[in-house]
Amino acid sequence: MNIGTAARRSALPAKTIRYYEEIGLLRPARAGNGYRDYSGDDVHRLKFLQRARGLGFSVEECRQLLSLYGDTHRASADVKALAATKLNQIEHKIAELQSLKKTLTHLVQTCHGDARPDCPILDELSGASD
Amino acid sequence: MNIGTAARRSALPAKTIRYYEEIGLLRPARAGNGYRDYSGDDVHRLKFLQRARGLGFSVEECRQLLSLYGDTHRASADVKALAATKLNQIEHKIAELQSLKKTLTHLVQTCHGDARPDCPILDELSGASD
DNA sequence: CTTGATCTTCCAGCAACTGGAAGGATTAGT
DNA sequence: ACTAATCCTTCCAGTTGCTGGAAGATCAAG
């Protein structure tokens, strides 16, 4: 099938699919007219990528996952380790964002937000407490 | 003062400071030897940037904040609006990550994580439920 | 036979830096 | 005065993960 169809089936933009090919994540066949020709397996791979990227795995991690996926003898522990690491990173990121949220919430609440020129948010950013 | 000192005082790498200059966020003086010469105000500006970036404001948003900061007649409402928008984005991002976390937690828990080759994580990614 | 959609490649750019090379200036130590 | 280490300069390239656009081929429909 052509790239447009593969794009629809995998829920990935055609541009992204070409990019994934460029960085070696898949190698679709070519039809006689030079068009890329995607097999069901290729689409499967693309969906896998779409899901894994959506779960926050980096492209390099996706590459690892794909190779683990392709390796019928891999241990599930390897995959679990990768997922656990990613989970940790995500938790870390959440904690970080929650701390940002707390600070910003405080700032927004403190700011009277009218036409007056004094603003606690800028005061804080400018280091009024230094 | 030289860039190294400004870097230490603002907690920003020298490279980043030069980059901020390149994109027009500040314009330090130059000493006779061609070295950048940072004033206390420059460092203040750099600290402001360091804090605002740390709070998740994009460089462009920082530029806005700086111009609002420099404008003695601005309304605090303008700043508040910017901060509130950012707060919203952060909350959105947190929700997204929490959803990822939930899915990944589930996957990691389901995976037995031993030497056996079957792995629920890869099954899920490969779309076993399709 | 033409129109419009789809495909191809290539080149460029986004954010926000970061790294490194090549070379000039300064400072500390002898 | 000389040398070595450190710091400064500029410039160019790379990172991540795409995305946009131009120019040109191909295909499908009417």
Side-chain angles (χ1 to χ4, degrees), chain B residues 13 15-16 19-20 33 35 53 58-59:
Chain B
K15 277 268 178 186
T16 302
Y19 171 70
Y20 285 169
N33 56 11
Y35 286 16
R53 292 286 297 123
S58 73
V59 163

Side-chain angles (χ1 to χ4, degrees), chain B residues 16-61:
Chain B
T16 302
I17 296 178
R18 286 196 201 97
Y19 171 70
Y20 285 169
E21 178 181 348
E22 193 186 317
I23 62 174
L25 289 179
L26 75 162
R27 251 168 242 284
R30 291 287 176 144
N33 56 11
Y35 286 16
R36 288 168 179 84
D37 185 14
Y38 295 87
S39 68
D41 258 19
D42 288 329
V43 171
H44 196 234
R45 215 173 161 79
L46 288 170
K47 281 186 185 170
F48 184 106
L49 286 166
Q50 198 269 334
R51 288 193 180 95
R53 292 286 297 123
L55 279 175
F57 289 97
S58 73
V59 163
E60 280 323 301
E61 284 163 343

Side-chain angles (χ1 to χ4, degrees), chain A residues 48-74:
Chain A
F48 184 107
L49 286 167
Q50 198 269 334
R51 287 192 181 98
R53 291 285 300 124
L55 279 176
F57 288 96
S58 73
V59 164
E60 280 322 300
E61 286 164 340
C62 288
R63 198 191 298 277
Q64 283 179 59
L65 286 169
L66 276 173
S67 96
L68 286 170
Y69 184 61
D71 176 4
T72 46
H73 299 305
R74 95 266 149 167

Side-chain angles (χ1 to χ4, degrees), chain A residues 10-82:
Chain A
S10 62
L12 284 170
K15 277 264 178 192
T16 301
I17 296 177
R18 286 196 201 96
Y19 171 70
Y20 285 168
E21 178 181 348
E22 193 185 318
I23 62 174
L25 289 178
L26 75 161
R27 251 167 242 284
R30 291 287 176 145
N33 56 8
Y35 286 16
R36 288 169 179 83
D37 185 14
Y38 295 87
S39 68
D41 257 18
D42 289 328
V43 172
H44 196 233
R45 215 173 162 79
L46 288 170
K47 281 185 185 170
F48 184 107
L49 286 167
Q50 198 269 334
R51 287 192 181 98
R53 291 285 300 124
L55 279 176
F57 288 96
S58 73
V59 164
E60 280 322 300
E61 286 164 340
C62 288
R63 198 191 298 277
Q64 283 179 59
L65 286 169
L66 276 173
S67 96
L68 286 170
Y69 184 61
D71 176 4
T72 46
H73 299 305
R74 95 266 149 167
S76 71
D78 295 343
V79 184
K80 185 170 186 167
L82 210 54

Side-chain angles (χ1 to χ4, degrees), chain A residues 86-96, chain B residues 101 105:
Chain A
K86 185 47 65 179
L87 187 52
N88 248 312
Q89 288 167 12
I90 288 172
E91 280 167 352
H92 216 86
K93 193 76 195 167
I94 288 175
E96 212 175 285
Chain B
K101 177 182 165 177
T105 302

Side-chain angles (χ1 to χ4, degrees), chain B residues 61-72:
Chain B
E61 284 163 343
C62 288
R63 199 191 296 279
Q64 282 180 60
L65 286 170
L66 275 174
S67 95
L68 287 170
Y69 183 61
D71 176 4
T72 47

